[in-house]
Amino acid sequence: MSTVEQIEVKKQSEIKINENKYTRVTSHLVLSAHLNAANTLFGGLLIQWVDECAGIFVMEKLKTHLIVTKKISEVLYNEPSRLGDVLELLCRVKKVGKTSITVECVARAKQIDSDDRLRIILNCDLVFVKIDKFGKPSPHNFILEDN
């Protein structure tokens, strides 16, 4: 017999970077399976995590799973991530259109046992579009709050 409990999240983690407020969406531990031949995190895998993270963030903002990624802006890899790094992925709403929402995503990394210095390893913007059940753009009615 299974029971369903309702869990209420009071407030997600907010982080301020250069006067902008971000929400911590998810974290990842960099494992050996995530590394390329140079022993750093595969860039494509990080982009996958960023797209997934930003998508979850937008789904929560718009209260729907009917969204698609329209665009990922220029991706800036500021420095590599290495084995054992703990990554935290942060998002903020940057711009809102009628059917679209632009999100800035920042990936930060730290080595737990050496120093707790957080390094910004990547940042980029992603544009998502809310769609209807037929896959056509649909208005979302989301209003951008002051950041």
Side-chain angles (χ1 to χ4, degrees), residues 6-140:
Q6 292 215 349
I7 300 172
E8 184 179 343
V9 177
K10 295 286 184 190
K11 189 172 185 179
Q12 291 181 317
S13 300
E14 278 192 2
I15 294 149
K16 199 168 188 180
I17 302 173
N18 298 330
E19 304 305 315
N20 291 315
K21 289 182 196 169
Y22 295 84
T23 300
R24 181 184 297 118
V25 179
T26 190
S27 298
H28 283 276
L29 173 63
V30 178
L31 303 173
S32 58
H34 303 144
L35 303 180
N36 59 26
N39 268 343
T40 61
L41 177 63
F42 276 109
L45 181 57
L46 182 54
I47 289 299
Q48 177 185 333
W49 290 346
V50 165
D51 187 27
E52 180 181 313
C53 164
I56 291 168
F57 179 74
V58 170
M59 284 183 217
E60 290 177 346
K61 291 290 181 189
L62 300 184
K63 307 286 189 244
T64 182
H65 69 281
L66 295 175
I67 62 160
V68 293
T69 307
K70 179 166 181 77
K71 176 183 176 184
I72 299 177
S73 74
E74 176 184 49
V75 178
L76 301 174
Y77 294 95
N78 300 311
E79 59 179 276
S81 180
R82 304 195 186 285
L83 181 65
D85 277 354
V86 174
L87 306 185
E88 76 179 5
L89 301 174
L90 316 172
C91 292
R92 75 178 182 100
V93 176
K94 207 169 170 183
K95 183 179 164 188
V96 174
K98 184 177 176 183
T99 62
S100 66
I101 184 167
T102 302
V103 172
E104 179 185 8
C105 191
V106 173
R108 303 193 307 179
K110 70 177 176 179
Q111 281 284 327
I112 298 292
D113 52 355
S114 61
D115 65 8
D116 281 341
R117 183 180 69 90
L118 285 161
R119 309 174 330 265
I120 295 178
I121 61 169
L122 174 141
N123 60 311
C124 65
D125 293 345
L126 298 95
V127 179
F128 291 88
V129 174
K130 181 178 182 276
I131 57 171
D132 62 20
K133 63 183 180 181
F134 303 107
K136 301 294 182 198
S138 171
H140 53 62

